[in-house]
Amino acid sequence: MLKCILHLFLIVLVAYPAYSQQDKLVLNLFKEPAALFKSYKFFIQEVEDKRNIPGANLGKVIAFGKEVPVMLPGKAEKELYDYWSFAAPKKEQNYLPLYVTIKEFSINEKRVAPNKVTGDMKLTLKFRWYRNMQPVELTTFQTSATFSRPEQTFDYEKLVKQLLDQSMTHFHKWMTSNAGKNPALAKGILLVFKELNAASDDDTVFYSPKRPLVWDDFKGRSGRPGSRNAAAVFTSFSYEGNSYPKDDKLIVEIGLKVFMVKSMSWGRPESRNASTLRHEQIHFDITRLVVEKFKDQLRKADLTVEDYDSEIQYQFLEAFRQMNYDQEAYDGETGHGLDAGAQAAWDKKVAAQIAQVYQVQ
């Protein structure tokens, strides 16, 4: 008699593997022997349950001839973390640490007729990661399943696992298709500088070591009122920014223009000689060298994907101040070119620096 009772009890366990007792239904998310993905570049860092009522409960189903709560063995955030971590374990340190938020996760059934039960399951997840301690929203997965069944044993676990697997498959496909395309996946910034040497036009000469200034470039009215200088050259620089994702970096491409404006540059007829022109050329060279300082400052700056543009603009303004300071120092030390010894020293120093810049490039 005792053996018969044990045998019946074992039959009940086999027939209802998810049932721990008859006042509730507990779903065990058994892990498959093989991982879900063969190739992936993320791992589950954390799962958080942001449902209205977090915990282990999922809803209510019809079982044991009555309506009973259905739940996971433990809190949803732990059970899903364990399940997904098995499918996509952490393999590499440079994998994306994925944070999953459970917005909705529920199963609910009702008896609609004798021996007929209808139900629905809903799952809504949000995926994000943290870059420089700032949350970066990635994508959302939302799905639901409705079903109708006779009132008999039903494999809830299979349905739950299908939807959980679909969610990770969705993220895997999203990450694969967005890699190298979506800035949200960029882990850092790679600066790329380009010197834009457009062809000189009627009013602009763009800097080139192979194209020094000539007196014909000075088109402005000679002898500005109140000026005692023999000549003056108006030089400046600007930048154009462009960004695009590539691999796991955001490429920030900065195109730089160094130029002089002909209509704002002038030279007195009686002063248009080689030494005066060389003095003005060094003003142009100094502007070019300031651009190198601007680039160096950007390389040292803490540029973030979230806010790199404001730092670039700040360093640009600082470079402008540096340009004005260097130009004034040059004129001050050389007496606007009248001190031959100081002029020769600046000429030698600047020429060496320009040669270094273009040798490196």
Side-chain angles (χ1 to χ4, degrees):
M1 185 65 177
L2 178 59
K3 290 182 179 180
C4 182
I5 293 174
L6 289 174
H7 180 65
L8 290 173
F9 182 62
L10 288 174
I11 291 175
V12 171
L13 286 177
V14 173
Y16 302 96
Y19 299 359
S20 61
Q21 58 187 48
Q22 293 192 356
D23 60 348
K24 63 181 178 181
L25 182 63
V26 179
L27 304 182
N28 291 291
L29 303 177
F30 297 109
K31 305 172 184 67
E32 301 297 333
L36 183 62
F37 308 119
K38 294 181 179 179
S39 175
Y40 58 92
K41 293 186 178 181
F42 66 92
F43 63 92
I44 307 302
Q45 179 70 34
E46 183 179 303
V47 178
E48 60 178 355
D49 191 352
K50 290 296 185 180
R51 296 176 296 167
N52 292 333
I53 304 177
N57 188 57
L58 299 179
K60 292 183 178 181
V61 297
I62 305 300
F64 315 112
K66 59 183 178 180
E67 185 180 79
V68 297
V70 59
M71 59 186 57
L72 297 169
K75 292 183 178 179
E77 52 198 19
K78 179 183 183 303
E79 296 297 323
L80 270 59
Y81 173 85
D82 291 343
Y83 183 76
W84 285 325
S85 293
F86 183 84
K90 182 178 180 180
K91 289 185 177 181
E92 303 290 343
Q93 289 294 328
N94 62 347
Y95 277 14
L96 185 78
L98 188 61
Y99 291 74
V100 186
T101 299
I102 307 170
K103 303 295 290 185
E104 187 173 14
F105 185 22
S106 63
I107 308 174
N108 286 287
E109 290 184 334
K110 61 182 178 179
R111 185 185 289 110
V112 295
N115 197 34
K116 184 176 182 181
V117 174
T118 61
D120 66 73
M121 178 179 176
K122 297 178 181 179
L123 180 64
T124 302
L125 306 170
K126 295 189 72 174
F127 300 93
R128 72 180 188 283
W129 74 294
Y130 284 85
R131 181 174 54 210
N132 299 320
M133 301 181 68
Q134 297 296 319
V136 181
E137 300 298 329
L138 299 176
T139 184
T140 298
F141 175 80
Q142 185 174 17
T143 189
S144 62
T146 58
F147 53 88
S148 178
R149 66 177 182 85
E151 190 172 342
Q152 60 188 39
T153 304
F154 185 68
D155 195 346
Y156 299 100
E157 291 171 346
K158 181 178 180 180
L159 181 60
V160 169
K161 290 174 67 175
Q162 284 178 349
L163 267 62
L164 293 179
D165 289 351
Q166 286 176 16
S167 68
M168 281 299 125
T169 300
H170 162 81
F171 181 78
H172 184 230
K173 290 181 178 179
W174 181 88
M175 185 175 178
T176 301
S177 63
N178 282 271
K181 301 175 183 176
N182 193 328
L185 291 172
K187 295 182 178 179
I189 281 179
L190 179 62
L191 283 174
V192 176
F193 296 104
K194 290 187 176 181
E195 187 171 348
L196 304 179
N197 289 322
S200 299
D201 57 33
D202 290 340
D203 197 40
T204 308
V205 176
F206 291 95
Y207 188 91
S208 171
K210 297 179 181 180
R211 201 286 193 193
L213 296 175
V214 296
W215 278 119
D216 283 346
D217 296 326
F218 294 72
K219 302 292 188 182
R221 182 162 54 89
S222 298
R224 299 287 175 162
S227 174
R228 297 180 180 178
N229 296 332
V233 61
F234 183 91
T235 67
S236 190
F237 70 98
S238 63
Y239 78 92
E240 299 174 1
N242 181 37
S243 64
Y244 54 90
K246 183 180 180 181
D247 299 328
D248 63 349
K249 298 289 186 182
L250 181 67
I251 308 299
V252 177
E253 190 176 277
I254 299 178
L256 294 155
K257 292 181 179 180
V258 183
F259 56 91
M260 68 87 74
V261 180
K262 296 179 182 180
S263 60
M264 299 181 68
S265 304
W266 53 270
R268 298 181 186 277
E270 68 274 16
S271 301
R272 294 193 172 212
N273 52 54
S275 60
T276 303
L277 183 62
R278 181 60 187 164
H279 177 83
E280 302 308 319
Q281 175 65 50
I282 292 178
H283 275 297
F284 203 7
D285 294 341
I286 288 172
T287 301
R288 176 61 186 84
L289 292 174
V290 166
V291 168
E292 289 302 302
K293 296 179 182 179
F294 173 53
K295 290 159 64 175
D296 288 341
Q297 288 303 113
L298 288 181
R299 292 187 184 104
K300 297 174 185 176
D302 185 19
L303 300 179
T304 65
V305 176
E306 291 78 17
D307 185 24
Y308 60 86
D309 193 52
S310 61
E311 180 66 20
I312 292 174
Q313 292 182 37
Y314 170 76
Q315 294 298 342
F316 177 71
L317 293 176
E318 288 297 297
F320 240 88
R321 294 188 183 96
Q322 184 68 50
M323 179 182 67
N324 292 332
Y325 176 84
D326 289 351
Q327 299 287 16
E328 290 173 3
Y330 170 54
D331 270 337
E333 290 183 22
T334 62
H336 294 274
L338 298 178
D339 187 327
Q343 182 65 49
W346 270 88
D347 197 335
K348 182 179 180 180
K349 177 178 69 172
V350 170
Q353 292 175 348
I354 289 294
Q356 180 66 25
V357 167
Y358 285 94
Q359 181 180 354
V360 171
Q361 290 184 351

